Amino acid sequence: MKEILKVISDAMQEGEEDLVAAKTQEALDMGLTPAEILNDALLYGMDILGQKWKREEIYMPEVLIAAQAMHAGMHILKPWLTAAGVKPVGKVVLGTVKGDLHDIGKNLVNMMFVGSGLEVIDIGVDVHEDTFIEAIKEHQPQILAMAALLTTTMSEMRVVIEALAQAGIRDQVKIMVGGAPITESFAKNIGADAYAFDAAVAAEIAKKLIAG
């Protein structure tokens, strides 16, 4: 019975969306629990990919394709997980700051977050500070993750953090920042709680922040 979990994991890593969806449904029909399929197939496979990404054995296109396959499995699993009361390990609001329309890096971080068992509220690109505030108030995440891919938009991260402080909600969330021009020293300078230099590391840091 557990062999099917390996089939799902391998298919996901290869980016085979249809096979992942079909085998996920088959595993449910066989009596495997949604949590087993999630943890021992989908999340397990994404963790393997994350490690390969960090070792530069695979690159962004492979990860994005695999992540789409994971979403195919999650689409099948989601109603079952909800019915079974399986909760995500934490919640993240994610967005690219105002003036920046880049989304590939953000989307990759999104996939890695989901692959780590996090619920992600992706509020898109070119996000105004007021929109970040509204999302935090509405969704009550543990983490706000911001991306900036241009040196000209880096300063918007400070604007958002200052706006959160003025709104009285800065202490409600841990703030993660990342993107090509961002450095750890910049993150500290603007008052962020964490900096991640790539998507795989971002997922690990997010889980550590949530765990406290």
Side-chain angles (χ1 to χ4, degrees):
M1 182 182 288
K2 297 302 174 70
E3 179 65 26
I4 196 169
L5 296 175
K6 184 177 186 305
V7 172
I8 294 170
S9 176
D10 290 347
M12 190 205 73
Q13 292 176 58
E14 293 297 323
E16 299 181 44
E17 291 184 49
D18 292 343
L19 183 58
V20 169
K23 290 299 180 180
T24 297
Q25 184 61 58
E26 184 178 329
L28 289 168
D29 295 342
M30 291 169 63
L32 272 71
T33 68
E36 279 181 300
I37 301 167
L38 174 66
N39 293 318
D40 299 337
L42 298 177
L43 297 187
Y44 176 76
M46 188 56 77
D47 184 61
I48 291 173
L49 286 175
Q51 296 304 317
K52 288 182 176 180
W53 164 268
K54 282 173 38 176
R55 296 193 299 266
E56 297 185 352
E57 295 174 10
I58 58 173
Y59 299 96
M60 188 180 295
E62 293 99 317
V63 177
L64 289 172
I65 291 169
Q68 290 298 327
M70 179 179 178
H71 277 298
M74 288 298 296
H75 180 72
I76 302 294
L77 276 186
K78 191 167 185 179
W80 292 76
L81 291 168
T82 301
V86 177
K87 298 186 181 299
V89 298
K91 187 185 294 184
V92 182
V93 165
L94 171 67
T96 302
V97 296
K98 184 173 65 180
D100 201 320
L101 299 174
H102 292 83
D103 67 353
I104 292 178
K106 174 186 64 65
N107 292 345
L108 185 57
V109 170
N110 186 340
M111 305 296 190
M112 287 298 189
F113 279 167
V114 172
S116 296
L118 296 164
E119 178 184 354
V120 180
I121 294 91
D122 186 343
I123 56 176
V125 300
D126 190 22
V127 180
H128 191 277
E129 57 268 24
D130 290 344
T131 305
F132 279 114
I133 290 171
E134 291 166 8
I136 291 168
K137 288 180 176 179
E138 178 182 353
H139 298 286
Q140 299 292 308
Q142 290 100 330
I143 293 174
L144 167 62
M146 291 187 286
L149 283 299
L150 301 171
T151 54
T152 53
T153 60
M154 291 169 61
S155 60
E156 289 298 326
M157 291 179 165
R158 187 194 300 273
V159 172
V160 174
I161 293 174
E162 291 175 349
L164 294 180
Q166 291 174 4
I169 60 173
R170 168 63 184 92
D171 294 337
Q172 292 182 20
V173 292
K174 297 291 187 181
I175 295 177
M176 294 178 58
V177 296
I182 309 302
T183 64
E184 188 161 8
S185 61
F186 175 80
K188 289 179 180 178
N189 188 36
I190 64 173
D193 297 296
Y195 157 72
F197 65 85
D198 72 19
V201 170
E204 293 179 2
I205 291 173
K207 288 194 292 184
K208 288 177 182 176
L209 287 175
I210 288 171

